[in-house]
Amino acid sequence: MELTVYLAGQIHDNWREEVEKKAKERNLPLVFVGPQTDHERSDNIGEDILGKQPGNVYKDDAASDINNFRTQVLMQKSDIVIALFGDKYKQWNTAMDASTAIALNRPTIIIRHESLIHPLKELSNKANVTVETIDQALDVVGYIFE
Amino acid sequence: MELTVYLAGQIHDNWREEVEKKAKERNLPLVFVGPQTDHERSDNIGEDILGKQPGNVYKDDAASDINNFRTQVLMQKSDIVIALFGDKYKQWNTAMDASTAIALNRPTIIIRHESLIHPLKELSNKANVTVETIDQALDVVGYIFE
Amino acid sequence: MELTVYLAGQIHDNWREEVEKKAKERNLPLVFVGPQTDHERSDNIGEDILGKQPGNVYKDDAASDINNFRTQVLMQKSDIVIALFGDKYKQWNTAMDASTAIALNRPTIIIRHESLIHPLKELSNKANVTVETIDQALDVVGYIFE
Amino acid sequence: MELTVYLAGQIHDNWREEVEKKAKERNLPLVFVGPQTDHERSDNIGEDILGKQPGNVYKDDAASDINNFRTQVLMQKSDIVIALFGDKYKQWNTAMDASTAIALNRPTIIIRHESLIHPLKELSNKANVTVETIDQALDVVGYIFE
Amino acid sequence: MELTVYLAGQIHDNWREEVEKKAKERNLPLVFVGPQTDHERSDNIGEDILGKQPGNVYKDDAASDINNFRTQVLMQKSDIVIALFGDKYKQWNTAMDASTAIALNRPTIIIRHESLIHPLKELSNKANVTVETIDQALDVVGYIFE
Amino acid sequence: MELTVYLAGQIHDNWREEVEKKAKERNLPLVFVGPQTDHERSDNIGEDILGKQPGNVYKDDAASDINNFRTQVLMQKSDIVIALFGDKYKQWNTAMDASTAIALNRPTIIIRHESLIHPLKELSNKANVTVETIDQALDVVGYIFE
Amino acid sequence: MELTVYLAGQIHDNWREEVEKKAKERNLPLVFVGPQTDHERSDNIGEDILGKQPGNVYKDDAASDINNFRTQVLMQKSDIVIALFGDKYKQWNTAMDASTAIALNRPTIIIRHESLIHPLKELSNKANVTVETIDQALDVVGYIFE
Amino acid sequence: MELTVYLAGQIHDNWREEVEKKAKERNLPLVFVGPQTDHERSDNIGEDILGKQPGNVYKDDAASDINNFRTQVLMQKSDIVIALFGDKYKQWNTAMDASTAIALNRPTIIIRHESLIHPLKELSNKANVTVETIDQALDVVGYIFE
């Protein structure tokens, strides 16, 4: 039984590669999907496809159309969502993806640094499991196959 | 990950072939499905199967039963809907298929000529993305695989 | 038992008033809701609330946000949808509202002129009932209370 | 037709009172509900009811159980969600409530300061309408009753 | 707490009046709805509203549009469905209404004569309760209020 | 694209074999499933597994548990339902399966003899397509692959 | 805003009366519903309505039909479920009602004695809130109205 | 057609191995999944992954997060649920899993000893089939493939 995992969260470091590498080392039968991780491409995708927009609000909205399209397609193909909250930025996309996943009954794991416990407490409470490290998240997913 | 794409819209030119050819050139792992594109067959399918009907209303209703059956089966098998609005005809089937797809949470792209912006504005607003060309639509779908 | 009826369709003549007047004459316990019927206000509502937009596409999109918000709120409160197709314009909003209503299991009546039978045949086939006049539509709704 | 509006968002100033006051001035038939706005009570509600917990993580989790219970009950009774993002804090609860509302097909308005356009762009894109002021949000809701 | 009860089943005798009369005698807070019970009107309603159809198949289909519209509206307003199977006719509408109610999670009671046990066994098994008399059906509904 | 078809209906002749044979001759990529067609086994399955029951009502109920279990599993795996109504028996299982399929949005074809038009009119109206012969049903399904 | 609360759980003492009395003292706008609390009536309701059954298994199954009917009707009318686990009996009905409520997105509170923490841990984890006393459960519900 | 079966129930003996062995002997095309069956591992999984918790309540809650995550993932991949109730322990997880499966329309078989008929009667009544032995459960599943 192969499971598809959507990796929601920040696109500012290579945490997804770390997840994939470690999952491989554990021989977990997982396929990973997620958002566009090239930040510039993600911000520009609206103008890249639709052409110059009349200002930043419109550029952002055009990009969001396409980023949300991608997320919707891939999350509907996923069995599990792992959402990682880092220590920088607003990360409202991560909160949005995790909340959407939970509302649609996708089993969801949140990874967050200890310092985020308080501001994330209600969302963390609604997720299935909250952990602090990638290894712990893979421990949880790996537990399915024991 | 292979995705199935329902191509809703007019059946008066060969735009679906263009989509398929261009998707192939880009090596996108897509399977395409859609309505009957032989217009005459689509209009006559009710009488072709059920026999002569007592007038055009009844001929049309018989054909619609079977066209709607086909659409329902294939849209339920699809991950994405692309709906193209051309510059002719009422195109209410295209509007119906796009609206149904959106109501059923199928990620949806609308392709429409610039001249249709105003009459299509509410539907366009509900779709995930609206573009003007087939190439742009494939840019959007291709973005999933980046 | 009072029923709420959403009146989808063109906003270019006073057909909704006619429906309400005739429903009253028949003493049908109906409450009617529907889209903004002041066409100019409907087209300008985005700029009226959000301020000047940088061009017609953006003006239209801003208006659509708010028109779709209104429709979603009111259709969710409705027990029945009546959609009237007139003889002018693209009427894609009417097709969108009727299709959405059907996809969400709202019992739906279509009123359309005989000349529209063919282009509307698939949508007509999915609606519960298709009639040609307001009186017939009220006959159908009134039948519930017999 | 009276509508119930859930007011999601920060609990650090009296914006909800402003909404209610202005809605009253406009004679809008709205009932407002929302989260606990006494911040201290919200943070302590777990220990207030269940007693002393063994540390902050557990105190937070106990409070979240009860805050999420309240939100779930009240959002299920609501016809509309208005989510206000202020200029301080992480505001992940606001993002969570807005995302949940959207996933559950509750018509949703976001109010956010211009400075938040970029980080909020994907969520804003999924909401029905995004505005910058309380007055604009009430303009949108008031439009339903025109 | 008042409950609405849809009375599905044959329209060839006055069993619905008996149900209503007996419910009143027991002071049960129930509102009853159901199909058109004037058999001729039910069969002719299509032609009554839409005019002469070109043969019986079309007359029947037109009537069914409107009968199904009525049933869908009223069943969606109901808390409970009681379906009575008599000893005559095919009664496929009764089977259809009971099956639909069960598929939509409406609590359902079947009333059927002992002679129908075998042919009705799978449907009876899916309903909540199967009884043989109107009094027993009202015993079951009345039990809610004990 | 292979489709799974549930064949609901009578188990008194070999119509399912005819469907399968003809589908094969047409090279349609279909997998067929359906109820137990050995009538005696179907009636006795409750006692065959659970042992002697105290009378026919209980024997029937035990069999129905297991027949309904089988139908639920297989219908959930199906893309299409074909329901055949023959000229004998009550056939309430066929009506139940077709109604359930329609309520669960399974595209549904009814095959029925001309003599059954009137008693089956409302169910026929709710199905996608109604035909009179197995060949016509396969014409409809085959149309998907044109 | 009045809320309806389903009180699931044991029927061996008068805990429901205590809940209702205390809710009244707090002036909470709550309506309470629940299962039949006369244990003997609950066990005999099948035979009371349907007559003598051929043994205890059949007597129990007949009673369950009617008890489950009652629960389904009343839980569908409820906004909140409170499930109390006492210190005696298997209490599988309580577990069933709480689990069903959670699966259907009814906000759910569990009341259980400290001694039950371990065997109830997974269900408790899925409920919104778990408390030990009736007063705490009413604190939680009362918190909605603060 | 291969079916996935979730085996809910006690983890105190090797009944799952017996099911798998017997299914293999019958050549049934079944894949089996289920909860963690190493009782100690199941109880400790929270602390194994998240580290020492401040007392048993918190240890149990941490374990439940992860056990519920596993169950949710695997039950969503299953076509059938078999729930076995043994003669010891509270077995509320078994009741929870069976109830959840039924609420989510998973076809469900309960295996329970004769002594449990009365306390399990309402849940048993809601399941598709209730049997007393593993062989009978496999008879029921095997019947699908006859």
Side-chain angles (χ1 to χ4, degrees), chain A residues 22-87:
Chain A
K22 285 181 166 170
K24 206 169 181 178
E25 284 164 16
R26 295 168 182 234
N27 290 316
L28 294 176
L30 302 174
V31 175
F32 293 99
V33 294
Q36 172 60 257
T37 54
D38 178 336
H39 200 163
E40 210 174 339
R41 174 72 167 155
S42 170
D43 276 1
N44 295 332
I45 185 65
E47 292 198 337
D48 285 356
I49 294 180
L50 297 165
K52 191 69 184 170
Q53 301 297 310
N56 279 342
V57 183
Y58 304 97
K59 176 187 168 184
D60 275 358
D61 197 45
S64 299
D65 272 353
I66 298 166
N67 285 320
N68 283 337
F69 172 80
R70 175 180 168 136
T71 303
Q72 189 178 339
V73 171
L74 293 178
M75 204 182 277
Q76 290 185 354
K77 302 297 276 189
S78 301
D79 302 301
I80 291 170
V81 172
I82 296 179
L84 181 143
F85 286 85
D87 52 2

Side-chain angles (χ1 to χ4, degrees), chain D residues 52-54 58 61, chain H residues 52-54 58 61:
Chain D
K52 191 69 183 169
Q53 301 297 308
Y58 304 97
D61 196 46
Chain H
K52 190 70 184 170
Q53 300 298 308
Y58 304 96
D61 197 46

Side-chain angles (χ1 to χ4, degrees), chain D residues 100-143:
Chain D
T100 303
I102 293 164
L104 301 178
N105 287 319
R106 285 291 179 289
T108 300
I109 299 169
I110 287 176
I111 308 175
R112 57 108 182 80
H113 191 262
E114 206 183 345
S115 64
L116 300 178
I117 289 172
H118 189 67
L120 205 53
K121 69 183 196 293
E122 268 82 21
L123 183 49
S124 190
N125 180 269
K126 289 175 80 170
N128 291 66
V129 192
T130 299
V131 300
E132 293 189 9
T133 67
I134 286 173
D135 282 307
Q136 289 173 322
L138 287 174
D139 287 348
V140 174
V141 178
Y143 182 66

Side-chain angles (χ1 to χ4, degrees), chain F residues 6 9 13 26 28 54 58 63 78 84 86 90 93 95 104 111 120 128 138 144:
Chain F
Y6 188 90
D13 64 25
R26 294 166 181 236
L28 295 175
Y58 304 96
S78 301
L84 181 144
K90 296 288 188 187
N93 276 13
L104 300 177
I111 308 175
L120 203 54
N128 291 66
L138 288 174
I144 296 173

Side-chain angles (χ1 to χ4, degrees), chain F residues 10-97:
Chain F
Q10 55 152 313
I11 57 176
H12 304 92
D13 64 25
N14 65 345
W15 73 274
R16 282 180 187 79
E17 286 170 36
E18 189 185 337
V19 172
E20 297 194 34
K21 184 167 153 288
K22 286 180 165 171
K24 207 169 180 180
E25 285 165 13
R26 294 166 181 236
N27 288 317
L28 295 175
L30 303 174
V31 174
F32 293 99
V33 294
Q36 172 60 257
T37 53
D38 177 335
H39 199 164
E40 208 174 342
R41 174 70 167 157
S42 171
D43 276 1
N44 295 332
I45 186 63
E47 292 199 337
D48 285 357
I49 294 180
L50 297 165
K52 191 68 184 170
Q53 301 298 308
N56 280 342
V57 184
Y58 304 96
K59 176 188 167 183
D60 274 359
D61 197 45
S64 299
D65 271 353
I66 299 167
N67 286 321
N68 283 338
F69 173 80
R70 175 179 169 137
T71 302
Q72 189 179 339
V73 171
L74 293 176
M75 204 183 276
Q76 290 185 353
K77 303 296 273 189
S78 301
D79 302 300
I80 292 169
V81 172
I82 297 178
L84 181 144
F85 285 85
D87 52 1
K88 277 183 273 187
Y89 308 99
K90 296 288 188 187
Q91 305 185 80
W92 286 329
N93 276 13
T94 316
M96 173 180 82
D97 287 350

Side-chain angles (χ1 to χ4, degrees), chain B residues 62-73:
Chain B
S64 300
D65 272 351
I66 298 167
N67 286 320
N68 283 338
F69 172 80
R70 176 179 168 135
T71 303
Q72 189 178 339
V73 171

Side-chain angles (χ1 to χ4, degrees), chain F residues 110-127:
Chain F
I110 287 177
I111 308 175
R112 58 105 183 80
H113 191 264
E114 208 184 342
S115 63
L116 300 178
I117 289 172
H118 189 68
L120 203 54
K121 71 183 195 294
E122 267 82 21
L123 183 49
S124 189
N125 180 270
K126 288 176 79 171

